[in-house]
Amino acid sequence: MSERLVVIGGDAAGMSAASQARRLRSPGELEIVAFERGHFSSYSACGIPYWVGGDVGSRDELIARSPEEHRARDIGLRTRTEVTEIDVERQRVRSRDLESGTEEWTGFDKLVIATGARPLRPPVPGIDAPGVHGVQNLEDGQALIDALSGAEGRRAVVVGAGYIGVEMAEALLNRGYEVTVLNRSERPMATLDPDMGRLVHEAMDGLGIRTVNSAAVTKVLTGPDGRVRAVATDEEEYPADVVVLGTGVEPETSLAREAGLPLGAYGGLLTDLGMRVRGHENVWAGGDCVEVLDLVSGRTRHVALGTHANKQGQVIGSNVGGDYATFPGMVGTAVSKVCDLEIARTGLREKEALEAGLRFVTVTVESTSRAGYYPGAAPMTVKMLAERRTGRLLGTQIVGREGAAKRVDVAAVALTAKMTVEAMTALDLGYAPPFSPVWDPVLVAARKATAAVRAAG
């Protein structure tokens, strides 16, 4: 008799899990039913800003595998169908067809929860007015593109200056809009330390993007037609023909909470290394709805990235399919850009290191992406944190031009391997004048961090 796997969520983690389970077990052994409330499956949400900005030509280029392709592989994907309840005790889920309103219960032997994250919306008057857009899914991206094409004016306000905020600022700038970014923090990119965030602010100003820091939105103002006309803070009103929200996300775990499943400090589901929900033998979870182990601090964190979601989905699918796999944790690596400015980080910021009770030293170095004499060499700033007693690398942040962001991968590997900054200085990295100085900027920072650790005793 075959088993039934039910998957809630049709994007990265959910469909990676379903696809991997199908590779391992035939339809006669395992029936797979997946629910997705949207129209699309297995798409790159990270690519939406580049589609909006015109770097990606069409929506379909962001779709890795369509619902029809999943069904052709014997995965029963039901789009426009929302799961409204999880009954863990009876091993079933209730779903609603969003087109017809029909509801039904579906039993499961194994359950995968991949409900993703939901965007944070400031709880202020007018936030739901026409002309205010989120960018969480492909439907959101299409709605924003349609709005930009039909807008009479060319003034855009982006609320939030994190990864999505700065990427959307670039997209709107590329569309010919006058862009203002309202940021409630003291610097853009709160995932960086303030001194590195200042570099991002200066670069954004140089690109023509007005960034207003310490600016909490208090109201979205509308015109006689009910559409957005401005965004207000305590100090000023900023005219807007379109508003884009880039205020971050939180785990979408309302179903899990109602089902009594264990949640962490950030509201994400808690799992073991095999991505099995703690205390529940036949329930797994992955993607933006979970918290995972930070290998540097030793604590759980919520990090919403497609890289983790796809890996976790593969792990879940392997375990559901009878194989064995683990997701040991992450170090918090992320890269982004705004126009030609590249931004990267991995490991801990100073604030996070302090919260973890770590004593550390910090160093910052200025270098270039290539040998200084080679044409096109661009400036780069690298900041590095190292544990004061042991010299263990704790984190790295990089802001620079072409060739800066992906250098953070060296530090990500070093963090995962728990290397000291002194050991990093001996890494045999590739060198040629078109690609790097003799001493790569990351290794220059490691040398300086080594000296700082020694000086600290």
Side-chain angles (χ1 to χ4, degrees):
M1 183 176 178
S2 69
E3 293 184 309
R4 178 184 289 156
L5 167 65
V6 167
V7 178
I8 307 175
D11 200 7
M15 299 319 292
S16 291
S19 297
Q20 178 66 2
R22 174 55 72 230
R23 292 185 191 101
L24 295 172
R25 298 185 67 182
S26 70
E29 298 174 305
L30 182 69
E31 177 191 1
I32 303 177
V33 179
F35 296 96
E36 167 55 43
R37 61 186 175 188
H39 293 88
F40 308 99
S41 64
S42 301
Y43 60 86
S44 172
C46 300
I48 293 174
Y50 307 107
W51 170 37
V52 173
D55 295 315
V56 176
S58 71
R59 178 189 66 201
D60 290 348
E61 293 180 47
L62 300 180
I63 300 174
R65 188 167 292 174
S66 69
E68 293 75 21
E69 289 174 310
H70 283 298
R71 292 169 190 141
R73 290 168 169 81
D74 293 305
I75 296 172
L77 175 57
R78 305 178 189 178
T79 55
R80 297 294 292 152
T81 307
E82 181 177 18
V83 173
T84 58
E85 184 179 349
I86 300 171
D87 186 338
V88 176
E89 184 175 348
R90 297 187 180 182
Q91 294 196 178
R92 62 180 186 167
V93 301
R94 181 160 60 185
S95 63
R96 179 190 300 119
D97 186 309
L98 296 177
E99 304 294 342
S100 67
T102 303
E103 294 191 351
E104 67 175 346
W105 286 98
T106 303
F108 64 82
D109 298 289
K110 302 175 187 295
L111 175 67
V112 174
I113 302 173
T115 44
R118 57 176 173 264
L120 295 169
R121 299 177 72 89
V124 299
I127 196 67
D128 295 318
V132 179
H133 295 268
V135 285
Q136 184 72 7
N137 52 47
L138 292 185
E139 287 92 342
D140 294 338
Q142 188 64 64
L144 177 56
I145 289 173
D146 293 343
L148 294 173
S149 300
E152 295 182 3
R154 311 297 291 178
R155 299 168 301 181
V157 170
V158 177
V159 181
Y163 287 106
I164 294 297
V166 300
E167 288 170 358
M168 289 310 306
E170 174 188 353
L172 294 164
L173 194 69
N174 289 344
R175 297 280 299 228
Y177 274 72
E178 176 187 320
V179 182
T180 299
V181 177
L182 301 181
N183 176 34
R184 66 182 302 166
S185 300
E186 295 181 359
R187 297 283 185 272
M189 296 301 295
T191 52
L192 304 178
D193 286 326
D195 53 341
M196 299 296 280
R198 185 182 65 252
L199 300 177
V200 178
H201 187 180
E202 293 170 355
M204 290 173 69
D205 283 348
L207 295 166
I209 299 170
R210 182 187 182 190
T211 304
V212 185
N213 295 311
S214 302
V217 172
T218 57
K219 185 183 295 186
V220 175
L221 306 173
T222 57
D225 59 356
R227 293 188 59 81
V228 63
R229 67 170 179 84
V231 179
T233 67
D234 286 331
E235 290 78 27
E236 193 173 341
E237 292 182 7
Y238 300 89
D241 301 296
V242 64
V243 174
V244 178
L245 302 178
T247 45
V249 298
E250 61 184 357
E252 177 50 272
T253 50
S254 53
L255 287 174
R257 179 179 290 105
E258 291 167 4
L261 297 175
L263 305 180
Y266 298 91
L269 278 156
L270 297 176
T271 70
D272 61 18
L273 293 180
M275 304 309 298
R276 193 189 310 262
V277 174
R278 295 181 188 176
H280 295 270
E281 182 69 19
N282 296 316
V283 182
W284 287 261
D288 294 353
C289 65
V290 304
E291 295 179 23
V292 295
L293 178 66
D294 184 317
L295 296 174
V296 186
S297 69
R299 301 178 173 187
T300 62
R301 287 176 56 192
H302 177 245
V303 179
L305 284 175
T307 50
H308 302 153
N310 278 284
K311 292 171 186 174
Q312 291 162 9
Q314 288 282 313
V315 168
I316 293 169
S318 294
N319 292 325
V320 167
D323 206 340
Y324 175 75
T326 63
F327 183 83
M330 53 81 196
V331 294
T333 308
V335 297
S336 185
K337 79 179 188 75
V338 52
C339 296
D340 66 339
L341 181 74
E342 299 184 3
I343 306 160
R345 57 126 334 148
T346 188
L348 306 181
R349 298 173 295 157
E350 289 188 34
K351 178 182 178 182
E352 293 160 340
L354 288 170
E355 290 173 348
L358 296 168
R359 299 178 67 196
F360 58 91
V361 298
T362 68
V363 297
T364 302
V365 301
E366 305 287 340
S367 187
T368 56
S369 58
R370 304 172 180 176
Y373 57 80
Y374 193 89
M380 182 187 312
T381 302
V382 180
K383 180 174 183 177
M384 192 168 282
L385 282 69
E387 191 171 22
R388 183 169 177 170
R389 182 177 62 84
T390 66
R392 176 173 64 110
L393 178 66
L394 296 179
T396 301
Q397 300 162 42
I398 304 175
V399 176
R401 306 292 171 174
E402 181 183 2
K406 287 296 284 180
R407 275 183 161 86
V408 81
D409 289 342
V410 174
V413 172
L415 284 166
T416 305
K418 303 187 185 311
M419 293 179 69
T420 65
V421 287
E422 184 173 11
M424 287 180 67
T425 63
L427 288 174
D428 187 12
L429 304 185
Y431 160 69
F435 304 107
S436 171
V438 172
W439 279 91
D440 188 88
V442 172
L443 298 191
V444 174
R447 286 177 62 185
K448 190 171 181 179
T450 299
V453 170
R454 290 172 177 167

